[in-house]
Amino acid sequence: MDIDKLKKQWQSMELRIEQIEKDNKRLLARISNDRVKGVRKKLLTRYLALVALCVISPAWILLFNEHYRVDVDVLIIYTFFFLVMGLVNWYIYKLIDGIDCSVMTTKEALTAVTKVEETRSKGKLLGWILAVPLVIILFRVFSEMGRPEVIYGAYFGLIVGGICGYIFDRKTRRLIRELRQTLDKELDEDSE
């Protein structure tokens, strides 16, 4: 009789342990999903800010143009650069927005993150290809003005902008890496 009671108690304990393990897995998945949503939201905010910056930037040169007459070709090149970069950043924004762990499997989400990373790398390369000639043209325009404060301001802006861009890029890469690591961890837990 005691053995039967022990067997029943043992079985009920096994059932409770299994239920606790299932609850823990669900809780871990929810925490992981919340972490993915948080990182995704930060990335979306960053890319929306980049798109807004690209939309606003052509207005700056138009304001500058009122005081210092800039050639139309410079205005077109400047506007073209920010238009292209705005579209690239909008496309990356849409890719990140498409990562939804409530609809996608973890593997699909990881594939989407990989596509974001690849698109981001290609976009940065395109940005450098377009930015170098633009910077050279702008510095030529500034030097033709013959005003040293404009040249000094341009160099200062180039240095400060480069530092800010580096910090922004580094944090964005860290967020994407965090998103990937969270999804990798979730994939490892799913496979166990």
Side-chain angles (χ1 to χ4, degrees):
M1 195 82 162
D2 288 333
I3 293 178
D4 288 336
K5 272 187 176 180
L6 284 173
K7 282 182 182 179
K8 286 181 183 178
Q9 287 176 345
W10 182 260
Q11 287 173 346
S12 70
M13 284 176 47
E14 280 183 347
L15 290 174
R16 279 188 258 159
I17 290 173
E18 286 176 20
Q19 185 61 39
I20 290 171
E21 286 176 350
K22 285 179 186 176
D23 291 343
N24 282 343
K25 282 185 180 180
R26 267 190 247 121
L27 180 62
L28 284 173
R30 198 173 84 224
I31 289 170
S32 179
N33 194 17
D34 288 346
R35 188 174 297 135
V36 167
K37 284 180 182 177
V39 172
R40 182 177 158 265
K41 185 177 179 181
K42 288 178 185 176
L43 283 168
L44 287 172
T45 303
R46 294 178 84 70
Y47 275 95
L48 196 57
L50 284 174
V51 170
L53 180 67
C54 289
V55 168
I56 293 170
S57 290
W60 292 340
I61 200 159
L62 293 175
L63 291 173
F64 183 79
N65 191 35
E66 283 185 23
H67 299 288
Y68 309 100
R69 292 290 160 204
V70 179
D71 294 336
V72 175
D73 56 341
V74 175
L75 292 173
I76 291 170
I77 292 169
Y78 185 86
T79 304
F80 177 75
F81 170 78
F82 282 105
L83 176 69
V84 169
M85 294 315 298
L87 290 173
V88 166
N89 287 316
W90 179 254
Y91 182 68
I92 295 170
Y93 173 87
K94 293 307 280 179
L95 288 175
I96 295 168
D97 192 37
I99 300 172
D100 187 1
C101 289
S102 61
V103 177
M104 301 173 124
T105 65
T106 306
K107 284 185 180 183
E108 290 172 337
L110 276 169
T111 303
V113 170
T114 301
K115 183 167 180 150
V116 166
E117 289 174 318
E118 290 172 356
T119 305
R120 192 173 173 279
S121 295
K122 291 174 185 175
K124 279 176 56 176
L125 178 63
L126 177 64
W128 279 105
I129 290 170
L130 294 175
V132 169
L134 176 62
V135 168
I136 292 169
I137 290 169
L138 287 175
F139 271 86
R140 179 187 54 90
V141 168
F142 295 152
S143 67
E144 288 174 358
M145 289 179 187
R147 298 187 62 185
E149 65 271 10
V150 173
I151 295 290
Y152 296 142
Y155 280 118
F156 182 74
L158 185 64
I159 291 168
V160 171
I163 291 170
C164 290
Y166 173 77
I167 291 169
F168 189 90
D169 181 62
R170 188 171 171 217
K171 186 160 184 167
T172 303
R173 280 185 285 136
R174 185 185 57 77
L175 286 170
I176 291 173
R177 189 171 43 250
E178 185 179 332
L179 183 63
R180 175 176 287 291
Q181 288 170 347
T182 303
L183 289 169
D184 277 336
K185 197 166 142 184
E186 190 175 310
L187 186 63
D188 290 342
E189 289 171 2
D190 286 346
S191 63
E192 289 176 355

